[in-house]
Amino acid sequence: MCPVRELAIIGVGQTAYRRRHDCSTPELVSQAVTAALHDAGIPMQDVDIVTGGFAPDGLAGENCPDKRFLPAAGAVGRWSMRVNTGGTTGIAAAYAAMDLLAARYGDIAVAVGVERMAQAVNVPAVFNSIFDPVYERDTGLSTISMGALRAARMMMKWGYTPQVWAEVAARNYAHATRNPLAQITRPYTADEVLASRLLAWPIRQLDACPISEGVCAVVLAGAEVAQRGRAVAWVRGRASCTDTYNMGDRFDRADGDLVDLLSLHRATEKALGQAGLPSAAEADVVEIHAPFTHAETMAYAPLRFCAAEDGADLVRAGFGRWDSRPVINPSGGPQAANPVGATALVRLAECALQVRRAAGERQVPDAALAVATGQGGASQFSTCTVLTAA
Amino acid sequence: MAELTADQEPVPPLTIAGHWDFRYQYFAGDAASRFFHELGNGRIMGTLCPQCQRVLVPARGFCDACYVSTTDWRQVGDRGRLETFTILASRFPGLPDPPVVIGYVTLAGASTALLNFVLGLDLTDVEAAATRLLAQPAVEVRFRDQREGRITDFFFQLADA
């Protein structure tokens, strides 16, 4: 059997993540890709493959946006494809690029994640349209209430409280003050989180992500190319796993309850296994794809930080803060900026910046091992990626 | 002919109004068509997976865990357990007016839960209502008098209400 081709991230480019009325979608894409190529030190002529992800078309109001955004990412004259798996869209695009590189369809690939949701005048109504139109949409289900249904279940099963989640939010907002790309840069306190507007009990405004736009791009390469004297992030483990859409099928299920996040549990098991790690707690940095505070803590057990029922105590002990290891979300995470079609790729890009020691003010000192998660659909698409400096 | 140079005065970013309001008709399919038909008869029906023996409610034509077609139909009870809930508390255009409760309920004899409105609770104090619901009270199905073949043909209410 041929040895598996080693892959690395050799460049990262990101726009600032906020409402971007100043740029068209293709302009944002070209800015991020140009920055990523510059970071990698290569011209577009060297790129073989371009993959991209874009969140639900309805959020942007651009139907089949691949027609315009893939050429803006450099696809003209190259192998290209668009991937769409909800929140995991961005990382799915990166995995598609990695798969094509691993199969030697090329040596260098660009992967982009694109988000344009501020073009939607009524975002929650568009999010209602992502749910099953036959059995569930009439209930007014949205991404916020979908999250709230999980949060309430976590309170029932494991004793989580809004106070614990407010601590998570405060830590993420504190970290985001170091990140010039973040949308929310004010260090909201736990008390401010608890005093913010109730959206869907128990989720409050500051437990939730903002409406963010922007583009993340990474340049990926096979080992022979990657090793030409540049700081790279080696891909040491990656896995994807999918659960049923039906949230009602997951209560007290033998394999795992709705809030056990079975898909992330399994993706993490595989990715950590490939990297030879017992737990993501071994990492210097963990970027968790969680648009809500409760969702971050739902990932703790799948990441092998602790048993599910001990998550609240882990938060109270200060786990994940800046002066500890691992640092969770040194970027501030999706709570500080959540460009949906890009977010899962942002988690990967931020981890790559960390192990390449290129994260600027948000650099975790001597970071050498980083883990990124991706989460999408009805909390059903999960990914876990392990990156190292050497 | 005028030439534009890089040091031109900036122009304000332009926004072009648009809308995307196409109409659709969703094909409910074989299993859901029968499920909704039976709602008209005042019955909640599930389908049986011959492999894992789960009674899937709402009804589906196949079990996506075992990846086999469901076979028999089973009527399930009209009482069940509230698995989880949320109270929609902020108003968003196109979504139900707050405050309103939605929840997943596993009915007696069913292996899976279905989502619907939980009505009849006093929601003047949202925190108090939430505390009551966190205790996972028994709930029961109430059918509406007028049914149109939608999930909103019924709702849940607390069994002790």
Side-chain angles (χ1 to χ4, degrees):
Chain A
M1 199 175 116
C2 292
V4 173
R5 189 183 201 186
E6 292 200 311
L7 302 173
I9 297 167
I10 64 171
V12 170
Q14 302 184 80
T15 67
Y17 299 113
R18 44 203 62 138
R19 291 169 182 261
R20 297 301 305 266
H21 294 183
D22 53 324
C23 292
S24 72
T25 307
E27 285 169 352
L28 282 173
V29 171
S30 75
Q31 285 173 16
V33 172
T34 301
L37 292 173
H38 182 261
D39 186 38
I42 61 161
M44 180 56 89
Q45 286 69 28
D46 290 358
V47 174
D48 303 305
I49 292 159
V50 175
T51 64
F54 196 111
D57 298 11
L59 275 179
E62 298 182 31
N63 198 5
C64 297
D66 28 281
K67 299 187 303 300
R68 289 169 72 233
F69 89 77
L70 284 174
V76 175
R78 299 186 171 82
W79 180 313
S80 80
M81 64 190 289
R82 176 200 178 183
V83 188
N84 188 351
T85 49
T88 38
T89 288
I91 189 71
Y95 279 13
M98 292 179 199
D99 295 340
L100 291 167
L101 292 175
R104 298 184 188 272
Y105 285 101
D107 294 319
I108 299 181
V110 165
V112 294
V114 186
E115 184 49 61
R116 211 62 273 231
M117 67 192 292
Q119 291 186 161
V121 176
N122 184 359
V123 168
V126 178
F127 270 129
N128 174 247
S129 75
I130 72 174
F131 292 98
D132 174 12
V134 177
Y135 282 138
E136 293 196 321
R137 198 188 289 178
D138 285 345
T139 61
L141 197 58
S142 72
T143 43
I144 298 168
S145 48
M146 182 185 86
L149 288 160
R150 286 171 174 73
R153 179 87 173 166
M154 294 173 76
M155 294 174 74
M156 291 171 180
K157 282 175 70 79
W158 299 323
Y160 275 98
T161 63
Q163 287 74 19
V164 168
W165 288 323
E167 293 291 335
V168 171
R171 191 212 61 228
N172 281 329
Y173 292 131
H175 289 183
T177 60
R178 299 170 180 268
N179 182 2
L181 303 178
Q183 182 169 358
I184 298 179
T185 53
R186 186 175 151 193
Y188 289 105
T189 64
D191 286 343
E192 286 175 298
V193 176
L194 290 167
S196 64
R197 180 168 67 121
L198 185 64
L199 300 179
W201 193 94
I203 294 179
R204 293 182 179 276
Q205 181 92 54
L206 291 175
D207 285 308
C209 56
I211 291 172
S212 318
E213 297 186 302
V215 177
C216 178
V218 298
V219 183
L220 296 140
E224 321 86 270
V225 178
Q227 279 172 321
R228 289 181 195 150
R230 47 167 82 84
V232 306
W234 293 101
V235 181
R236 298 302 185 194
R238 64 181 172 108
S240 164
C241 187
T242 301
D243 205 339
T244 181
Y245 163 76
N246 303 300
M247 291 176 271
D249 289 7
R250 298 184 234 170
F251 296 104
D252 295 320
R253 182 177 54 173
D255 287 344
D257 191 87
L258 176 71
V259 289
D260 285 327
L261 212 47
L262 180 65
S263 52
L264 183 62
H265 187 89
R266 291 192 170 157
T268 302
E269 184 171 46
K270 284 185 186 168
L272 294 179
Q274 290 162 18
L277 296 171
S279 161
E282 306 278 314
D284 300 299
V285 168
V286 183
E287 281 278 342
I288 301 177
H289 183 170
F292 301 99
T293 48
H294 76 274
E296 181 187 303
T297 56
M298 192 162 56
Y300 287 177
L303 287 165
R304 277 70 175 169
F305 290 162
C306 63
E309 61 269 27
D310 297 332
D313 287 341
L314 204 65
V315 173
R316 293 187 189 103
F319 185 78
R321 286 186 192 162
W322 192 265
D323 50 3
S324 68
R325 292 293 166 102
V327 179
I328 297 178
N329 298 343
S331 68
Q335 260 192 279
N338 189 36
V340 175
T343 301
L345 186 60
V346 175
R347 309 280 70 77
L348 183 76
E350 286 291 330
C351 283
L353 290 173
Q354 290 287 345
V355 300
R356 291 169 67 221
R357 316 284 163 78
E361 200 187 335
R362 61 191 183 282
Q363 178 68 53
V364 171
D366 305 321
L369 172 61
V371 173
T373 73
Q375 201 60 55
S379 293
Q380 72 189 110
F381 302 117
S382 297
T383 63
C384 180
T385 315
V386 181
L387 299 182
T388 64
Chain B
M1 187 189 277
E3 289 184 7
L4 287 174
T5 55
D7 59 357
Q8 291 283 316
E9 283 289 304
V11 296
L14 181 66
T15 300
I16 296 173
H19 58 100
W20 190 356
D21 52 0
F22 311 117
R23 296 182 64 197
Y24 298 91
Q25 46 185 351
Y26 295 108
F27 303 132
D30 192 36
S33 295
R34 177 162 296 279
F35 177 84
F36 288 124
H37 175 78
E38 292 292 350
L39 288 187
N41 297 326
R43 301 199 294 184
I44 299 206
M45 304 288 290
T47 46
L48 178 72
C49 171
Q51 196 157 313
C52 65
Q53 298 294 314
R54 289 189 303 169
V55 176
L56 303 174
V57 179
R60 276 150 274 165
F62 62 94
C63 170
D64 66 4
C66 303
Y67 215 68
V68 295
S69 295
T70 53
T71 49
D72 302 325
W73 286 77
R74 294 276 191 276
Q75 183 177 357
V76 297
D78 60 1
R79 286 172 69 105
R81 182 178 63 250
L82 182 68
E83 302 286 5
T84 191
F85 69 94
T86 182
I87 305 172
L88 308 181
S90 287
R91 187 178 307 277
F92 294 108
L95 299 188
D97 284 342
V100 64
V101 182
I102 58 173
Y104 274 101
V105 170
T106 304
L107 293 169
S111 308
T112 64
L114 75 176
L115 180 69
N116 218 327
F117 292 103
V118 182
L119 302 183
L121 246 85
D122 181 0
L123 298 173
T124 47
D125 182 342
V126 167
E127 290 298 328
T131 301
R132 195 168 171 204
L133 293 168
L134 277 176
Q136 296 187 269
V139 296
E140 61 189 15
V141 171
R142 295 299 298 267
F143 287 96
R144 294 183 194 278
D145 294 337
Q146 300 293 322
R147 295 171 214 160
E148 52 176 334
R150 296 186 82 129
I151 203 73
T152 44
D153 285 353
F154 73 96
F155 56 88
F156 301 117
Q157 69 173 28
L158 298 197
D160 60 4

